[in-house]
Amino acid sequence: MAFNKISAGLTGFGSSLPEKILTNQDLEKMVDTSNEWIIRRTGISQRRILEDSTPAFKLGARAAKDAISDAGLEPGDIELIIVTTETPDYLTPSMACLIQNEIGAKNAAAFDLNAACSGFVYGITVAGQFISTGYYKNILVVGCEGLSRVTDWKDRNTCVLFGDGAGAAVVNAVEEGYGIISTQLGADGAIGHNITIPCCYASEEDNKARECDNKSVIWMNGSEVLKFAVRVMAQATKDVIKQAGITIDDIKIIVPHQANVRIINGAAKRLKISDDRVYINVDRYGNMSSACIPIALDELMKKNILKKDDYFVLVGFGGGLTWASALLKWQGGS
Ligand code: UT7
């Protein structure tokens, strides 16, 4: 879908991570695994984990404040807060309402959006529509996740993969022809059973699959998701670029969802692009679901890698199963 009225772009960035680090060596003491296996199969060395006493929304609020200030705004200027999450602290109040209160964004409407790891790209697409029509001027999108809270710490297939974190971006109007050029959102509920986190209901089958006492933890058919991920990441990137009438050679950098370095490298190979044109930080943080892309974006902006007129792509996939890609043209600044 192309954005063709008021141009909407990302104008401020922020991120926040818990201080506590869980290394592969720590995991060796918890389950039957090894640092060597985790690095070879995933590329992950360590991840950040929330302290028991800290709700995830506190991370989201910190990321949000930084993004708002980076955009040159005050919390009172924000008219809508969209929080993308599959690990809300509460089903109600929403993470968006908790963050609204924490940062004092008194004038903002607020809601959560769950498209799992594809959430942030879904979120900026929704925000972009409100900007594009002139309905709102300043929107905050926060990817905020506490995956450690839904991790089965007895399941070596999943517990080595996830981490906690939050990233945020402000979406508002930018110079015509810049910002979000096009996005593509997709979902296939028929294969949704490959990643599940039961909440208010769990089937017999769900309960049997879980090793620990808490049945509201993540379960995943990793190898099925891996095959799906490599295919959709490459295809969704190609589609969003083609829609804009440009080619992969015009793209400065791709910021993918950070689930596994093998998935990222596999998609890059299909796209025939070199590794230095794909942003990777999964080694330091693991998979933080919808927080991965905005955290990577904040790092990218702080490194001043993008110059005005550069095209870049955000692409994610995950539970649902879902996928989403966005092509942006950097307007400069920040
Ligand atoms: O954000 C979106 C959601 N998630 C993902 O994108 C994850 C997608 N999937 C993956 O990243 C990979 O499938 C995994 C990293 C989860 C697993 O890698 P894999 O190459 O697909 O391994 P596998 O599941 O086929 O397992 C291979 C072997 C098995 O042993 P056997 O049956 O061959 O004896 C597993 O039991 O590795 C074993 N294994 C482990 N061994 C040591 C699984 N987890 C571990 C572990 N340490 N942590």
Side-chain angles (χ1 to χ4, degrees):
M1 181 225 8
F3 280 58
N4 49 14
K5 291 184 183 165
I6 300 170
S7 295
L10 311 184
T11 60
F13 304 87
S15 61
S16 175
L17 292 146
E19 279 175 21
K20 187 172 156 190
I21 294 174
L22 184 72
T23 64
N24 292 349
Q25 287 75 14
D26 295 328
L27 282 161
E28 284 177 349
K29 294 177 200 138
M30 296 162 64
V31 287
D32 180 14
T33 191
S34 67
N35 176 44
E36 184 275 330
W37 190 97
I38 303 171
I39 291 186
R40 183 164 46 81
R41 298 280 181 137
T42 72
I44 302 167
S45 296
Q46 60 181 49
R47 61 294 285 146
R48 302 296 184 93
I49 304 289
L50 278 161
E51 296 291 347
D52 287 348
S53 57
T54 309
F57 84 82
K58 295 271 182 187
L59 292 178
R62 265 181 245 141
K65 274 188 189 165
D66 287 352
I68 292 168
S69 135
D70 190 37
L73 299 173
E74 298 290 334
D77 297 324
I78 301 297
E79 295 163 287
L80 174 65
I81 300 174
I82 302 172
V83 176
T84 67
T85 187
E86 60 177 323
T87 51
D89 293 322
Y90 297 84
L91 288 180
T92 192
S94 65
M95 293 291 258
C97 285
L98 292 166
I99 291 174
Q100 184 227 29
N101 181 49
E102 183 77 5
I103 66 174
K106 290 186 176 10
N107 303 315
F111 68 88
D112 286 359
L113 182 162
N114 178 356
C117 309
S118 315
F120 185 76
V121 179
Y122 268 71
I124 61 164
T125 304
V126 174
Q129 297 302 305
F130 280 115
I131 299 296
S132 191
T133 57
Y135 195 98
Y136 288 128
K137 288 194 170 55
N138 300 314
I139 302 178
L140 175 73
V141 182
V142 189
C144 183
E145 305 280 6
L147 267 295
S148 67
R149 301 264 153 86
V150 295
T151 296
D152 184 343
W153 292 108
K154 290 184 177 166
D155 178 10
R156 70 174 184 173
N157 294 295
T158 53
C159 75
V160 301
L161 303 173
F162 302 110
D164 302 331
V170 170
V171 184
N172 45 27
V174 294
E175 190 182 336
E176 198 184 334
Y178 289 86
I180 307 169
I181 305 298
S182 61
T183 67
Q184 199 214 46
L185 309 180
D188 186 353
I191 48 174
H193 56 272
N194 285 301
I195 309 177
T196 54
I197 309 175
C199 175
C200 301
Y201 169 79
S203 68
E204 278 291 298
E205 210 180 17
D206 288 327
N207 289 336
K208 270 192 212 141
R210 271 87 189 153
E211 309 263 341
C212 67
D213 297 335
N214 177 4
K215 300 305 178 194
S216 296
V217 289
I218 196 161
W219 178 88
M220 179 169 63
N221 182 343
S223 51
E224 278 305 307
V225 177
L226 187 132
K227 281 183 262 168
F228 160 85
V230 173
R231 181 172 51 80
V232 295
M233 289 250 286
Q235 195 57 50
T237 302
K238 281 183 192 163
D239 290 348
V240 86
I241 292 171
K242 192 173 171 197
Q243 203 170 25
I246 60 171
T247 73
I248 190 80
D249 295 335
D250 298 311
I251 306 300
K252 175 77 173 271
I253 196 157
I254 295 177
V255 183
H257 172 51
Q258 310 279 321
N260 183 329
V261 83
R262 284 160 59 210
I263 296 175
I264 298 173
N265 291 343
K269 203 169 160 199
R270 281 187 180 218
L271 291 165
K272 299 189 177 73
I273 57 164
S274 55
D275 292 350
D276 61 335
R277 286 168 64 207
V278 184
Y279 194 85
I280 295 181
N281 64 10
V282 66
D283 50 321
R284 288 175 280 141
Y285 308 132
N287 180 350
M288 300 169 291
S289 189
S290 75
C292 286
I293 290 179
I295 290 173
L297 262 179
D298 187 39
E299 289 186 352
L300 185 72
M301 293 303 161
K302 289 195 168 108
K303 291 179 180 169
N304 280 319
I305 289 172
L306 292 177
K307 304 286 172 253
K308 187 171 181 182
D309 293 325
D310 281 342
Y311 284 105
F312 61 109
V313 169
L314 315 180
V315 59
F317 68 91
L321 298 184
T322 56
W323 62 92
S325 56
L327 171 72
L328 293 95
K329 188 173 184 182
W330 183 235
Q331 69 276 5
S334 180

